[in-house]
Amino acid sequence: MTDRFAFRLLARDGAARRGEIRTPHGTVQTPAFMPVGTQGTVKAMYPEQVRALGSDVVLGNTYHLMLRPTAERVARLGGLHKFMNWPHTILTDSGGFQVMSLAQLRKLTENGVTFQSHVDGSRHEMTPERSVEIQQLLGSDIQMQLDECIALPAARDDVERAMRLSLRWAERSRRKFEEMGGPERGQALYGIVQGGDVPDLRVISATELGAMPFEGYSVGGLAVGEPQDVMLRMLEETTPAMPEDKPRYLMGVGTPEDILESVARGIDQFDCVMPTRAGRHGLAYTRFGKVNLKNARHAEDHRPLDEEAECPAARDYSRAYLHHLVKAGEGLAAMLLTWNNLAYYQSLMKGIREAIEAGRFEDFRNETRENWARGDISKLA
Amino acid sequence: MTDRFAFRLLARDGAARRGEIRTPHGTVQTPAFMPVGTQGTVKAMYPEQVRALGSDVVLGNTYHLMLRPTAERVARLGGLHKFMNWPHTILTDSGGFQVMSLAQLRKLTENGVTFQSHVDGSRHEMTPERSVEIQQLLGSDIQMQLDECIALPAARDDVERAMRLSLRWAERSRRKFEEMGGPERGQALYGIVQGGDVPDLRVISATELGAMPFEGYSVGGLAVGEPQDVMLRMLEETTPAMPEDKPRYLMGVGTPEDILESVARGIDQFDCVMPTRAGRHGLAYTRFGKVNLKNARHAEDHRPLDEEAECPAARDYSRAYLHHLVKAGEGLAAMLLTWNNLAYYQSLMKGIREAIEAGRFEDFRNETRENWARGDISKLA
């Protein structure tokens, strides 16, 4: 334990923010990308590698961990940091999102959600209080309130009902978090802004949550099926209504472009399975856009993904070899491409942070977008 | 290219030998364990890790590589060393073993074997000459003659027929290898001793091969279904008939115990999929024997696999966590357990080499066997 949760704004450039979050397990430089460690592992990566890429924080999924190996077992084994050999900051979600997307026989009431495990069919109840309890057992540094996240498009009435329920759950979550001594341990609980694609509901949600003493605020319920321009417009409506002095986390987002554009709209934290999942499906992210290694045109391509990259996965292996590994179904394909992708994401975040500090975020954004638009170099060869 | 193939005996202790093989891509300390890189990758390992564990040489499978990505493609891409990012020594097999175990519609004649690919059904012919040609395209440092390896038990007549055919193929292989300039490039071609479980056939095979100018000699056709004591007895009959001044490679062997006992009978090189395959199936090799991480008794075991090990996989992760990864089907399970297993195998080889140098191989053998017999410590707790 090094410190209590604290957030400090270091620089601004337009709406973009450069900050620093302190937690009991370290310091997180923002804007930050948080690799997803669903079941207590960032898939196909050793934790030391994740750290060496500049990751200050990883995410654990409450839903998955509560079912297997269970939060109680993780607690008996000394908590999630020790369990997964990640002594740095951990953020956990509330479990609500996966309860609604993965679990079976869900039933939502004012009190919470009952559901059946997708692993073994066992029955569980998730309430705001239980979610906090599980996250306390896991011992994460940054915890999330339980909320109701509904898919878009949705009728305004449904969006409002879910948003109001999420506000009531925010209060219950906060009460439980304080009862359990979260603040004394230096941990953080974030409230989650809902309101779908309805600007005034987003503002109500942000304002009411802002009046509660959360350490940080998430923007939930985006990247759930709406077009990118809708998501970005919602951020433009939402972030000005969020507290200035608290970190802002856009949940489950996104592509490199989503991240760049969301930073431009005042977001500080991101998580997404995209770089890790894509890495297991033969897709590489690079400075010049995406490269699909399944494609036969790479079969005799001597070039590495990016010879100027620092990451060995990008620099020391030919596209021909990566293509071969993908076609042959070798585990090393996922290992190298995930490594490359997380390295690219973290180098993008580093570039963003440096650009904000230097007051040249707009230039950086344009250069980065130009490189993406240029595309895979081999097309020009 | 650093050197031409050469073998030097550094020490002996009983029948056990301590030696050094030089190849165009480095020096191999013997007795050596050679991790298997079937399709151009040691499964679930980065090549730098394989090297860091003390591996001086890895094996590539001619059968797999000729079918995908094809030897011609590997050659166009600069050879197997460059392709798989392994600048150290590579040994390739002849492809014969997998032709007989994996391919379909096989037909064996004096000339060679015709077969259908298990990958795409394409038809191929493997002859002694073609096998050398493929290995030359791959550019491996140590190459194998094509032989016929028959499963045991088998009738003496069948064993003798296969052994005699293998001798004729040895001559054809050697001729092709010299025609293609293998010796000038400093590469090695090994002849393969066959003869099943029939001592006098083994001696004939070893003697006749010994009269041909091979750089080294393999013992083939063992670990193909016979009990361990039969295998060890065959080694006792065979190795005294093999040239003293050439390395001896026991193909496809084996368990840590097989290796220890075979070193005691004069073997210098080993390869086996066991440590890598076991690692993908939840099984860990340790100083105290095997640990099956699938077993529920590990679910809350705080202890690492071996807290005294140098390998992070053995030292920094609890058995409980490894159990969780195996149960959850996470790729990190294979990554950590393969790492642990290869680390254990290579530490065993290092111990063997040091013991032979110090003239205390017999003590080392007994201590090692006592530790294995002691079993997993938790049984005693």
Side-chain angles (χ1 to χ4, degrees):
Chain A
M1 295 272 196
T2 60
D3 233 325
R4 295 174 65 87
F5 186 93
F7 177 64
R8 198 158 59 102
L9 267 178
L10 304 176
R12 286 164 200 265
D13 189 359
R17 297 143 54 102
R18 168 79 181 90
E20 197 173 87
I21 299 171
R22 286 184 305 175
T23 82
H25 287 87
T27 299
V28 179
Q29 302 300 329
T30 68
F33 180 77
M34 312 187 288
V36 179
T38 309
Q39 304 195 93
T41 154
V42 177
K43 288 182 194 296
M45 294 283 287
Y46 298 106
E48 290 80 1
Q49 287 180 290
V50 177
R51 177 62 178 154
L53 295 177
S55 312
D56 294 327
V57 46
V58 298
L59 189 140
N61 280 128
T62 286
Y63 171 79
H64 288 281
L65 294 167
M66 73 180 278
L67 298 180
R68 184 173 54 196
T70 76
E72 285 73 13
R73 176 168 288 166
V74 172
R76 285 193 296 274
L77 290 164
L80 187 55
H81 294 84
K82 187 174 174 197
F83 184 62
M84 66 186 285
N85 193 21
W86 179 261
H88 318 291
T89 299
I90 294 177
L91 181 150
T92 44
D93 61 10
S94 70
F97 188 81
Q98 272 89 20
V99 165
M100 299 311 284
S101 59
L102 290 180
Q104 296 158 339
L105 293 179
R106 296 178 302 271
K107 195 173 164 225
L108 180 83
T109 67
E110 179 68 27
N111 190 50
V113 200
T114 56
F115 64 94
Q116 242 185 336
S117 159
H118 76 290
V119 176
D120 63 4
S122 56
R123 296 200 60 82
H124 299 265
E125 183 171 26
M126 177 63 90
T127 62
E129 292 79 11
R130 176 64 181 151
S131 175
V132 167
E133 190 173 68
I134 292 170
Q135 294 179 74
Q136 288 290 325
L137 286 164
L138 297 173
S140 55
D141 302 286
I142 305 177
Q143 307 181 0
M144 296 296 128
Q145 70 150 104
L146 188 68
D147 61 340
E148 187 193 352
C149 171
I150 62 170
L152 296 179
R156 182 193 163 98
D157 282 359
D158 292 334
V159 172
E160 178 158 9
R161 186 200 51 71
M163 182 274 280
R164 299 276 177 199
L165 179 66
S166 296
L167 283 175
R168 293 190 296 277
W169 285 4
E171 285 186 20
R172 287 168 55 189
S173 301
R174 186 71 209 176
R175 197 173 313 127
K176 183 70 177 178
F177 179 73
E178 294 186 357
E179 273 172 27
M180 292 194 74
E184 286 71 36
R185 273 186 296 282
Q187 296 164 331
L189 182 69
Y190 282 25
I192 303 181
V193 178
Q194 288 289 353
D197 53 1
V198 186
D200 65 290
L201 295 181
R202 286 271 166 196
V203 171
I204 291 169
S205 178
T207 308
E208 298 214 4
L209 284 171
M212 303 182 204
F214 288 107
E215 287 80 8
Y217 294 90
S218 304
V219 179
L222 292 177
V224 289
E226 79 286 1
Q228 191 199 44
D229 66 311
V230 172
M231 179 181 87
L232 297 178
R233 195 149 33 79
M234 284 308 109
L235 289 183
E236 287 161 19
E237 302 284 347
T238 305
T239 54
M242 295 172 77
E244 276 282 317
D245 58 344
K246 302 284 174 69
R248 301 164 180 167
Y249 161 33
L250 178 56
M251 304 180 81
V253 173
T255 64
E257 188 188 32
D258 288 338
I259 290 175
L260 191 64
E261 293 306 314
S262 300
V263 165
R265 288 158 178 84
I267 297 294
D268 308 304
Q269 293 173 262
F270 301 89
D271 81 285
C272 191
V273 294
M274 213 163 276
T276 40
R277 182 171 291 165
R280 298 194 303 283
H281 291 89
L283 202 66
Y285 286 92
T286 78
R287 282 185 297 151
F288 302 109
K290 286 183 285 188
V291 180
N292 184 351
L293 273 315
K294 283 186 201 156
N295 197 308
R297 75 188 169 92
H298 303 297
E300 299 206 359
D301 193 336
H302 288 72
R303 295 173 308 140
L305 285 169
D306 185 350
E307 61 197 2
E308 291 178 25
E310 279 176 41
C311 176
R315 194 190 56 202
D316 298 343
Y317 301 83
S318 67
R319 295 174 189 220
Y321 182 62
L322 296 170
H323 171 76
H324 165 68
L325 294 177
V326 170
K327 297 298 279 185
E330 283 287 350
L332 186 59
M335 291 165 65
L336 288 172
L337 294 177
T338 303
W339 194 9
N340 170 81
N341 290 351
L342 281 181
Y344 176 68
Y345 265 66
Q346 296 299 11
S347 75
L348 174 67
M349 301 317 293
K350 185 162 179 264
I352 287 172
R353 290 192 297 266
E354 290 172 354
I356 298 171
E357 279 171 20
R360 55 179 301 281
F361 178 71
E362 197 52 36
D363 286 349
F364 176 84
R365 185 177 168 193
N366 290 331
E367 291 156 17
T368 302
R369 298 186 65 104
E370 276 163 28
N371 277 333
W372 290 335
R374 180 179 148 190
D376 183 18
I377 317 166
S378 67
K379 286 184 204 156
L380 307 175
Chain B
M1 295 272 197
T2 60
D3 233 325
R4 294 173 65 86
F5 185 92
F7 178 62
R8 199 156 60 102
L9 267 179
L10 304 175
R12 284 164 202 266
D13 189 359
R17 298 143 52 102
R18 168 80 180 90
E20 197 173 88
I21 298 172
R22 285 184 306 176
T23 82
H25 288 86
T27 300
V28 179
Q29 302 299 330
T30 67
F33 179 77
M34 311 187 288
V36 179
T38 307
Q39 306 194 92
T41 153
V42 176
K43 289 183 194 295
M45 294 283 287
Y46 298 106
E48 291 81 1
Q49 289 180 289
V50 177
R51 177 62 179 156
L53 295 178
S55 312
D56 294 327
V57 44
V58 299
L59 190 142
N61 281 127
T62 286
Y63 171 79
H64 288 281
L65 293 167
M66 72 181 277
L67 298 180
R68 185 174 53 198
T70 76
E72 285 72 14
R73 176 168 288 166
V74 172
R76 285 193 295 274
L77 290 164
L80 187 56
H81 295 84
K82 187 173 173 196
F83 184 62
M84 66 186 286
N85 194 21
W86 178 263
H88 318 291
T89 299
I90 294 177
L91 180 151
T92 45
D93 60 10
S94 69
F97 188 82
Q98 271 89 21
V99 165
M100 300 312 284
S101 59
L102 289 179
Q104 295 158 339
L105 294 178
R106 295 179 302 272
K107 195 174 165 227
L108 180 82
T109 67
E110 179 68 27
N111 190 51
V113 199
T114 55
F115 64 94
Q116 241 185 336
S117 159
H118 77 289
V119 175
D120 62 4
S122 56
R123 296 199 61 82
H124 299 265
E125 184 171 26
M126 178 64 90
T127 63
E129 292 79 11
R130 175 64 181 152
S131 175
V132 168
E133 189 173 69
I134 292 170
Q135 295 180 74
Q136 287 291 326
L137 286 164
L138 297 173
S140 55
D141 302 287
I142 305 177
Q143 307 181 359
M144 296 295 129
Q145 70 150 104
L146 188 68
D147 63 339
E148 187 192 353
C149 171
I150 62 171
L152 297 178
R156 183 193 162 99
D157 282 359
D158 293 334
V159 172
E160 179 159 8
R161 186 201 51 72
M163 182 273 281
R164 299 276 177 198
L165 178 67
S166 296
L167 283 176
R168 293 191 296 277
W169 285 4
E171 286 187 19
R172 286 167 55 188
S173 300
R174 186 70 209 177
R175 196 173 314 127
K176 183 71 176 179
F177 179 72
E178 295 186 358
E179 272 172 29
M180 291 193 75
E184 287 71 35
R185 273 187 296 281
Q187 296 164 331
L189 182 69
Y190 282 25
I192 304 180
V193 178
Q194 288 289 354
D197 53 0
V198 186
D200 64 290
L201 296 181
R202 286 271 167 197
V203 171
I204 292 170
S205 177
T207 308
E208 298 214 4
L209 284 171
M212 303 182 202
F214 288 108
E215 287 79 8
Y217 293 89
S218 303
V219 179
L222 292 178
V224 289
E226 80 286 1
Q228 192 199 43
D229 65 311
V230 172
M231 179 180 87
L232 297 179
R233 196 148 33 79
M234 284 307 109
L235 289 183
E236 287 161 19
E237 303 284 348
T238 305
T239 54
M242 295 172 77
E244 276 282 316
D245 58 344
K246 301 285 174 68
R248 300 166 182 166
Y249 161 31
L250 178 56
M251 304 181 81
V253 173
T255 64
E257 189 189 31
D258 289 337
I259 290 174
L260 191 64
E261 294 306 315
S262 301
V263 165
R265 288 158 177 84
I267 297 293
D268 308 304
Q269 293 174 261
F270 301 89
D271 81 285
C272 191
V273 295
M274 213 164 275
T276 41
R277 182 171 291 165
R280 298 194 303 283
H281 291 90
L283 201 66
Y285 285 92
T286 78
R287 281 184 298 149
F288 301 109
K290 285 184 284 188
V291 180
N292 184 350
L293 273 315
K294 283 185 201 158
N295 198 307
R297 75 189 169 92
H298 303 296
E300 300 206 357
D301 192 337
H302 288 74
R303 295 173 308 139
L305 284 170
D306 185 350
E307 61 197 1
E308 291 178 25
E310 279 175 40
C311 175
R315 193 190 58 203
D316 297 344
Y317 301 84
S318 68
R319 294 171 190 221
Y321 182 61
L322 295 170
H323 171 76
H324 165 68
L325 293 178
V326 170
K327 297 298 280 185
E330 283 286 350
L332 187 58
M335 291 165 65
L336 288 172
L337 293 177
T338 302
W339 195 9
N340 170 81
N341 290 351
L342 281 181
Y344 177 67
Y345 265 67
Q346 296 298 11
S347 76
L348 174 66
M349 301 317 294
K350 185 161 179 264
I352 287 173
R353 290 192 297 266
E354 291 171 355
I356 298 172
E357 280 171 20
R360 56 178 302 281
F361 179 69
E362 197 51 37
D363 285 349
F364 177 83
R365 185 177 168 191
N366 290 331
E367 291 156 16
T368 301
R369 297 186 65 103
E370 276 163 28
N371 276 334
W372 290 335
R374 180 177 148 192
D376 184 17
I377 318 167
S378 68
K379 286 183 205 158
L380 308 175

